[in-house]
């Protein structure tokens, strides 16, 4: 006869009144509390950055959060770990702004324009946070965040560009290098734009960059020996 103990599935959770279950519950609640508190401190660091600029220090972050520096170090091993967490927040804002813009457009030139405008829009609305991200981008942890964000945006862009090329009967092979090139190009120009205090308007810069980049993409379309209505060659004819 099988013992009642061996009849219990090992994967079943222990009874609610089991001390082990109570201990696990306490640990889960503490982990949730700790993560919530950590996110609050990251939010305070973002606010401190907006208030004091990219050179903000831990004293200013602690003051903004209403805690002492030792409290910060309970949640972050050092300053660099806190900055990595902040960079993740800023990077997420970039992706959140660009991804919908990429998905909503259907014309190829509009796709290029929407991507550029969305990226510049993040810089324009959050210049201090963007300068911080670029200034810290050489740090190992933050460099990985920035590189990961660039890959995420480029991957989404490559997918959409590839779909557009295939719909026109063209080779989709250039989609990925074009996407990475577009992201790197716009990022470099965005750095220049914010470093120089945005000397020209966002609309003008978007138009300049779109015109330059689109000329290359349109050249590939035109060389594919497609009918004029697909290559849009008629749009380039000036009366």
């Amino acid at each position: 006869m099988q013992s009642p103990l061996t009849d219990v599935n090992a994967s079943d959770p222990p009874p609610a009144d089991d001390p082990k279950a109570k201990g696990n519950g306490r640990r889960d609640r503490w982990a949730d509390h700790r993560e919530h508190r950590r996110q609050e401190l990251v939010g305070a660091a973002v606010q401190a950055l907006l208030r004091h600029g990219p050179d903000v220090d831990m004293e200013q972050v602690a003051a903004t959060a209403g805690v002492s520096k030792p409290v910060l170090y309970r949640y972050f091993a050092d300053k660099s770990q806190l900055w990595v967490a902040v960079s993740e927040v800023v990077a997420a804002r970039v992706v959140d702004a660009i991804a919908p813009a990429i998905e909503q457009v259907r014309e190829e030139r509009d796709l290029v324009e929407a991507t550029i405008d969305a990226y510049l829009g993040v810089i324009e609305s959050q210049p201090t946070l963007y300068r911080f991200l670029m200034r810290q981008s050489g740090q190992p942890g933050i460099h990985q965040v920035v590189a990961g964000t660039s890959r995420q945006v480029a991957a989404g862009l490559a997918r959409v560009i590839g779909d557009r090329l295939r719909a026109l009967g063209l080779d989709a092979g250039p989609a990925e290098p074009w996407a990475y090139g577009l992201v790197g190009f716009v990022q470099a120009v965005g750095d220049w734009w914010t470093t120089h205090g945005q000397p020209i308007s966002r609309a003008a810069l978007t138009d300049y960059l779109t015109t330059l980049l689109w000329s290359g993409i349109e050249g590939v379309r035109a060389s594919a020996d497609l009918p004029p209505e697909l290559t849009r060659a008629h749009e380039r004819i000036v009366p």
Side-chain angles (χ1 to χ4, degrees):
M1 181 176 177
Q2 190 176 35
S3 167
L5 293 177
T6 62
D7 203 39
V8 177
N9 190 319
S11 64
D12 288 342
D17 58 351
D18 189 302
K20 185 177 180 180
K22 292 180 179 178
N24 289 338
R26 283 194 296 270
R27 280 194 297 272
D28 290 344
R29 286 193 298 274
W30 169 245
D32 290 344
H33 168 76
R34 183 176 177 81
E35 179 58 25
H36 178 72
R37 184 61 171 143
R38 189 176 186 276
Q39 292 305 315
E40 287 181 339
L41 294 173
V42 172
V46 170
Q47 292 304 312
L49 268 168
L50 293 173
R51 185 177 302 169
H52 300 289
D55 294 320
V56 62
D57 57 32
M58 293 294 272
E59 289 279 3
Q60 292 166 326
V61 172
T64 302
V67 300
S68 63
K69 281 177 62 177
V71 170
L72 284 179
Y73 288 117
R74 291 178 196 166
Y75 294 87
F76 304 95
D78 52 29
K79 183 178 180 179
S80 64
Q81 193 178 84
L82 174 59
W83 288 163
V84 168
V86 170
S87 71
E88 290 170 347
V89 171
V90 179
R93 293 183 183 182
V94 173
V95 173
D96 289 346
I98 295 177
I102 292 174
E103 295 296 337
Q104 287 173 8
V105 295
R106 288 295 175 265
E107 295 297 328
E108 289 83 350
R109 193 183 195 282
D110 290 344
L111 172 65
V112 174
E113 184 176 24
T115 304
I116 294 171
D117 184 65
Y119 189 85
L120 296 179
V122 174
I123 299 176
E124 186 178 55
S125 63
Q126 306 280 350
T128 301
L129 294 181
Y130 185 82
R131 283 197 299 271
F132 162 80
L133 189 62
M134 292 300 101
R135 182 175 298 186
Q136 299 291 331
S137 61
Q139 300 301 319
I142 296 179
H143 173 75
Q144 292 170 357
V145 172
V146 174
T149 300
S150 297
R151 285 194 299 270
Q152 185 176 352
V153 173
L157 194 57
R159 185 184 68 254
V160 177
I161 292 175
D163 289 345
R164 304 292 187 272
L165 291 173
R166 282 186 288 272
L168 290 171
L170 295 174
D171 176 19
E176 190 167 1
W178 278 354
Y180 275 86
L182 174 59
V183 170
F185 178 73
V186 175
Q187 186 179 77
V189 176
D191 294 351
W192 167 85
W193 192 52
T194 189
T195 300
H196 290 78
Q198 301 178 13
I200 59 178
S201 72
R202 168 182 161 191
L205 184 57
T206 297
D207 186 60
Y208 294 157
L209 299 183
T210 301
T211 299
L212 176 61
L213 290 169
W214 179 245
S215 296
I217 297 175
E218 181 72 342
V220 173
R221 288 159 54 98
S223 67
D225 196 25
L226 291 173
E229 62 270 17
L230 291 183
T231 64
R232 290 182 169 181
H234 61 288
E235 293 183 2
R236 298 195 298 276
I237 298 175
V238 178

